Amino acid sequence: MASFHLKSVLFVVAIFAIFSITQASDPDILSDFIVPPGSAIDGNLFTFTGTRGIFGSVIEKFKVTKASKAEFPILDGQSVSLAVLQFPRGGVNPPHIHPRAAELLFVVQGSLEVGFVDTSNKLYTQTLQVGDLFVFPKGLVHYQYNSDWNKSATAVSGFGSANAGTVSLPTTLFATGVDDQILAKSFKSDVSTIQKIKAGLSS
């Protein structure tokens, strides 16, 4: 009897844990918006000007302009953020993940080759043109690449979190102090190759 009761309790706890995980997102707020400390409540509070002048500008190197909770504090609790990605000719946004949100990418200039890898290690790719949208599921490794060496490209990405987070795989693996031996064994390589990769990322 006690065993049946314990199993019942564990089952309920497991169901609650699974439900909590599947419902994970930005926490709901109990007001219309959250006012950052020291802010005046007027139209300026809800306006972000950090993307002014970037459309139509000359793109020399890959650049991301974010409008997330860090740059636009009124987004706290709103479960939304945005980024403008600018690609020079041949530019790449290296493989990375967003642990807290899916990404919906909208191409507004040029073309992009995009792809993501699912948890069964299957790669899904597409070549996007102006006006195309592509979704990168939450937490999966993905990239964007402007393979056109004649034209730059620009895309706008929307996220279902005020702070989607970005984990860049090259930086995380090779520029954070992970031991060279561990990386060499993990990539079935050698220490000198790992050190060359690290040197390339620091230049």
Side-chain angles (χ1 to χ4, degrees):
M1 182 72 169
S3 174
F4 176 76
H5 180 68
L6 179 60
K7 286 181 182 176
S8 297
V9 170
L10 290 175
F11 178 76
V12 170
V13 169
I15 293 297
F16 179 74
I18 291 168
F19 180 75
S20 296
I21 290 168
T22 60
Q23 297 299 315
S25 64
D26 286 358
D28 284 334
I29 57 175
L30 301 176
S31 59
D32 294 338
F33 47 87
I34 298 172
V35 179
S39 297
I41 303 176
D42 60 18
N44 292 320
L45 181 64
F46 304 95
T47 305
F48 181 74
T49 60
T51 51
R52 282 186 185 169
I54 65 172
F55 293 98
S57 63
V58 176
I59 303 170
E60 300 289 339
K61 63 179 186 173
F62 174 69
K63 181 181 177 187
V64 178
T65 304
K66 295 181 181 179
S68 69
K69 178 180 163 180
E71 299 81 17
F72 194 18
I74 195 64
L75 294 181
D76 189 12
Q78 299 300 320
S79 299
V80 65
S81 59
L82 183 133
V84 178
L85 294 79
Q86 297 173 284
F87 297 83
R89 296 174 288 183
V92 65
N93 187 4
H96 61 283
I97 66 170
H98 302 293
R100 294 183 287 275
E103 174 180 359
L104 183 61
L105 180 112
F106 177 50
V107 178
V108 297
Q109 175 192 350
S111 64
L112 289 173
E113 291 182 19
V114 301
F116 73 87
V117 180
D118 72 9
T119 56
S120 67
N121 289 323
K122 181 171 181 179
L123 174 65
Y124 297 87
T125 63
Q126 189 60 271
T127 299
L128 304 177
Q129 305 297 326
V130 171
D132 291 346
L133 290 99
F134 192 86
V135 65
F136 302 102
K138 178 167 71 172
L140 297 183
V141 174
H142 62 281
Y143 64 87
Q144 300 101 20
Y145 172 54
N146 179 11
S147 62
D148 191 333
W149 285 86
N150 296 311
K151 290 188 271 185
S152 58
T154 303
V156 177
S157 285
F159 301 93
S161 171
N163 183 12
T166 300
V167 178
S168 171
L169 298 185
T171 303
T172 299
L173 294 171
F174 298 101
T176 57
V178 176
D179 185 85
D180 291 352
Q181 289 285 355
I182 294 170
L183 291 171
K185 286 182 182 285
S186 298
F187 287 95
K188 299 184 182 345
S189 185
D190 55 71
V191 170
S192 64
T193 300
I194 297 301
Q195 290 174 343
K196 286 177 185 174
I197 293 170
K198 286 184 172 184
L201 285 171
S202 65
S203 58

